[in-house]
Amino acid sequence: MEAKEEIGLPVSHSLKKVERLCSKKVIDKLFAEGDSFLAFPIKVVYKITELPNPVPVQAGFSVSKKIFKRAVKRNRIKRLMREAYRLNKNMLPRHAEQKQMAVFFIFIGKELPQFAQVEKAMKKALNKLANSCSVPEK
């Protein structure tokens, strides 16, 4: 483990409960006031806001019931998105303690994706998100 810390690699790739977006108030505020962009087939809605837990980013994941009727398919896509986020969340910069962000990833594709496709889109989305957050707010 010490070798990983010396190189600068993250020791743990986990997605704990406190890192998941569960608060109804925060989700409502996110969709009412948040900004969004597209990294096809993932739409990202984000807002820099105060979160109930002391974590830099909380993320939520969603798939349209209108496009994917079967819960099995929706759950699989959400699982793929969570895994891609978990493996690549270190691309997001760590903000100061007072800056927290809520992010929601929505899958808008029409076909059941492979993991490689979801991971590529997630990396693109996290890059855009990191760039948009590094720009100072007015």
Side-chain angles (χ1 to χ4, degrees), residues 21 26-39 42-51 56-60 85 92 95 99-106 124-137:
L21 190 55
V26 175
I27 293 172
D28 290 343
K29 188 176 179 182
L30 174 66
F31 282 104
E33 304 169 9
D35 298 319
S36 67
F37 62 85
L38 194 65
I42 297 174
K43 179 180 179 182
V44 181
V45 181
Y46 68 96
K47 177 159 179 53
I48 294 174
T49 183
E50 193 170 318
L51 300 173
V57 180
Q58 281 191 335
Y85 174 75
L92 288 176
H95 298 293
K99 266 191 161 181
Q100 293 179 314
M101 182 171 33
V103 184
F104 216 89
F105 299 96
I106 305 166
K124 187 173 159 187
L126 291 174
N127 263 336
K128 275 188 178 181
L129 195 57
N131 291 339
S132 62
C133 292
S134 64
V135 176
E137 290 186 28

Side-chain angles (χ1 to χ4, degrees), residues 7-101:
I7 299 171
L9 295 174
V11 178
S12 175
H13 286 288
S14 63
L15 185 61
K16 298 192 177 355
K17 174 72 174 170
V18 293
E19 295 178 72
R20 296 186 187 207
L21 190 55
C22 299
S23 170
K24 180 92 169 99
K25 287 181 182 178
V26 175
I27 293 172
D28 290 343
K29 188 176 179 182
L30 174 66
F31 282 104
E33 304 169 9
D35 298 319
S36 67
F37 62 85
L38 194 65
F40 191 81
I42 297 174
K43 179 180 179 182
V44 181
V45 181
Y46 68 96
K47 177 159 179 53
I48 294 174
T49 183
E50 193 170 318
L51 300 173
N53 295 315
V55 291
V57 180
Q58 281 191 335
F61 304 88
S62 178
V63 180
S64 171
K65 192 173 184 178
K66 189 175 183 179
I67 298 171
F68 294 96
K69 306 283 187 213
R70 304 223 176 243
V72 173
K73 291 182 179 180
R74 290 195 305 272
N75 291 341
R76 170 145 178 87
I77 295 169
K78 285 188 278 188
R79 205 175 309 121
L80 291 174
M81 287 196 303
R82 280 194 303 267
E83 181 68 4
Y85 174 75
R86 183 185 71 81
L87 292 173
N88 298 297
K89 69 180 180 177
N90 58 349
M91 294 170 72
L92 288 176
R94 296 284 175 232
H95 298 293
E97 287 297 317
Q98 71 273 14
K99 266 191 161 181
Q100 293 179 314
M101 182 171 33

